[in-house]
Amino acid sequence: MPNSAFSFYLDITRALAAFAVVLYHFSHPLFTGGRYQAFHDLGLGPDAVIAFFVMSGFLIAFRVDTKNKTIATFTLSRLTRLVSVLLPALILGFIIDRSGAQLFPESYESVSYDPTTLFQQLFRGLTFSTEWYWDPIRLGTNVPLWSLSYEVAYYAAFAIAVFLRGHLRIMLMLGLCLLVGPNIVLLFPCWYMGVWLYHQVAEESFERRPFYLMLIPVVGYVLAQLVQLPEALLFLTAHVLSIEVFAQLRFSANFVWQLTVAMLFTAHLLALYHWCRNLRIVEGPLVNVTKFLARASFPVYVLHFPVMYFTQASLEAHSQGLGRDLILLGMTLATCIVLAALIEWCIRWQGRVLRRITRRNEISV
C-alpha cells in the first residue's frame, strides 16, 4: 500500500462499510418492523457497497502494479481469495436457510427466501452469475451476493484491458458486456474510479493539500441526503425510462446517484491521501484489530443476511422492542465475526500447508 496511514484508513473504512450494510438490512421492516425506517431510508447500505467498489478498484490496481503482473497470477490470486471465502459461506448459508425453513416454516414462506438447491447455490454462486441480466437469481435468503457478480465482472474487464491487446481485447470486452448485461456495465465507472485513484496517488507528484479538502465531499454527501437528492434522482430515472426498463435495472436502478457517491468518495480519498502521505501508523493492538475487522468485512458481508434472517425467525415469538432488536443485531454480528475468524483461520492454515509443500518440492528438486 502506498503509505501506512492511508492503508489504515482504508481498513477502517472497509470495516465501517460492512457494518453499515448490516445496519441497513437490520433497519429493514422485515427484521425490525419499521422501527428504524428513517435510518433505512438513508440508503447507507447501498452507498457503502459503492464505497466497496471504489476501494476494490484501488486495491486491484495496486496489486496488479506491484504483485500480480501476469494474467495467470492475477486470476489465481483473485479466485483463490474469492472462493476461499465464498465456498464456505455458500455452504453455511444453505445450511442456515434450510434449517430455518424446517424450524420456522412460516417465517421462510415469503419472497425474501428462494429455496434454491445446494447445486444451484454452488454453481451460480461460484460462477458469480447471480445478477447476469438474462437470468438473475437469489440464493436462498442471501440478497447481498448481488454485488459479487458486479465485482468479478469488473475484475475480468480490468484483466482484459490490462493484459490483452488488439482485436482479442475488443472482442472479449464486448463479449463480457453482452454476457453480464447492462445493469453491471452501468456501475463499472464506480469501480474504475478506484483504479483512477490508484494511478493518481502512485505518481507521488503532488503537494500536501489542506485538511479541509477531504471534508468537502463528506459535506456534499450530507447535504445531498438532507435535500433528498437520491430519491429525486431515482424518481427522475424512473420518469425518463419506461417502467419496464426501470424495473429490470434491479440494484442499478439509481445509477446516477451511485455514480455521484463514487465520485464523492473518490474525491474524499484523493484529498485524504494528499494530506496524510507523510504520516505513519505505529503497529499495535488497535492496528491489528482494525486489520482483522477489515479482513472479516468480506465474510461478514456474505454471511450476515442468512444469519440475521434465521435469528429474526427464532426471535419471532419474543415481544418486539429495543431489547429484542439489540439481541438480533448482537447475535448476528457475533455469529458472523466468529464464522469470519474460522474462515480466516482455514485460509491461513491452507496457505501454510501450500507453502510447506512448495518448499519440500523445491528441496527435492
Side-chain angles (χ1 to χ4, degrees):
M1 190 59 59
N3 73 54
S4 61
F6 190 68
S7 175
F8 180 68
Y9 186 81
L10 288 184
D11 285 341
I12 293 175
T13 306
R14 285 166 61 193
L16 290 177
F19 186 59
V21 173
V22 174
L23 284 182
Y24 172 77
H25 290 137
F26 165 78
S27 63
H28 192 281
L30 173 68
F31 296 109
T32 48
R35 289 182 289 279
Y36 312 102
Q37 187 65 47
F39 178 84
H40 186 79
D41 290 342
L42 291 175
L44 297 184
D47 292 351
V49 173
I50 299 302
F52 273 128
F53 283 170
V54 175
M55 289 186 287
S56 172
F58 180 90
L59 293 170
I60 292 302
F62 166 71
R63 291 185 183 281
V64 168
D65 190 39
T66 59
K67 297 179 181 179
N68 308 139
K69 294 183 176 293
T70 68
I71 193 168
T73 57
F74 172 80
T75 304
L76 181 61
S77 172
R78 289 300 87 207
L79 285 179
T80 300
R81 176 58 183 167
L82 287 167
V83 173
S84 62
V85 174
L86 187 57
L87 178 58
L90 288 171
I91 296 173
L92 287 170
F94 177 81
I95 293 172
I96 293 169
D97 282 342
R98 286 303 173 95
S99 299
Q102 290 291 324
L103 295 171
F104 317 106
E106 292 184 359
S107 297
Y108 281 77
E109 291 176 356
S110 71
V111 295
S112 300
Y113 173 54
D114 187 350
T116 47
T117 66
L118 179 60
F119 174 78
Q120 285 177 301
Q121 295 219 18
L122 293 177
F123 178 74
R124 295 300 298 272
L126 295 176
T127 56
F128 308 99
S129 60
T130 57
E131 285 302 315
W132 288 1
Y133 190 75
W134 49 271
D135 187 25
I137 186 175
R138 174 177 295 176
L139 304 183
T141 61
N142 210 335
V143 180
L145 292 182
W146 70 268
S147 66
L148 295 188
S149 285
Y150 285 63
E151 284 253 11
V152 174
Y154 302 153
Y155 294 167
F158 183 74
I160 291 170
V162 170
F163 296 113
L164 301 180
R165 295 290 182 270
H167 295 298
L168 179 61
R169 177 165 64 180
I170 297 173
M171 292 174 59
L172 287 178
M173 193 69 77
L174 290 174
L176 178 65
C177 292
L178 291 174
L179 178 66
V180 301
N183 294 358
I184 294 178
V185 174
L186 276 173
L187 297 190
F188 178 70
C190 299
W191 188 88
Y192 190 77
M193 285 180 201
V195 178
W196 176 86
L197 174 65
Y198 172 74
H199 289 297
Q200 293 300 307
V201 304
E203 293 175 0
E204 297 281 1
S205 59
F206 41 73
E207 298 296 330
R208 185 169 178 174
R209 304 294 179 85
F211 177 80
Y212 66 82
L213 286 180
M214 63 178 267
L215 300 179
I216 293 176
V218 178
V219 173
Y221 178 83
V222 173
L223 290 176
Q225 291 284 7
L226 290 175
V227 301
Q228 298 184 327
L229 182 61
E231 292 83 354
L233 292 175
L234 183 65
F235 176 80
L236 180 63
T237 303
H239 181 72
V240 171
L241 302 175
S242 67
I243 296 298
E244 293 78 10
V245 172
F246 180 76
Q248 294 296 319
L249 292 179
R250 291 170 62 82
F251 296 102
S252 303
N254 207 1
F255 65 91
V256 180
W257 169 246
Q258 290 164 311
L259 292 171
T260 303
V261 171
M263 287 188 288
L264 289 172
F265 186 59
T266 302
H268 167 71
L269 291 181
L270 182 60
L272 177 79
Y273 188 89
H274 286 190
W275 183 79
C276 71
R277 57 181 294 199
N278 295 321
L279 298 178
R280 293 293 178 267
I281 299 297
V282 178
E283 292 289 334
L286 178 61
V287 174
N288 293 333
V289 170
T290 303
K291 286 181 177 180
F292 167 75
L293 292 176
R295 291 194 302 269
S297 63
F298 182 31
V300 169
Y301 180 83
V302 296
L303 277 169
H304 77 274
F305 205 92
V307 171
M308 188 180 293
Y309 203 102
F310 180 91
T311 307
Q312 183 271 338
S314 67
L315 295 173
E316 192 69 33
H318 293 253
S319 59
Q320 303 294 309
L322 179 60
R324 177 260 186 199
D325 294 342
L326 290 177
I327 292 173
L328 172 61
L329 181 60
M331 289 182 65
T332 299
L333 287 173
T335 302
C336 289
I337 290 294
V338 170
L339 292 175
L342 288 174
I343 290 173
E344 190 68 27
W345 180 84
C346 289
I347 293 172
R348 290 176 177 273
W349 178 79
Q350 292 171 1
R352 288 195 297 268
V353 171
L354 289 175
R355 284 193 294 271
R356 288 174 185 172
I357 294 173
T358 303
R359 283 197 297 267
R360 287 175 183 174
N361 289 338
E362 290 175 351
I363 292 172
S364 63
V365 172

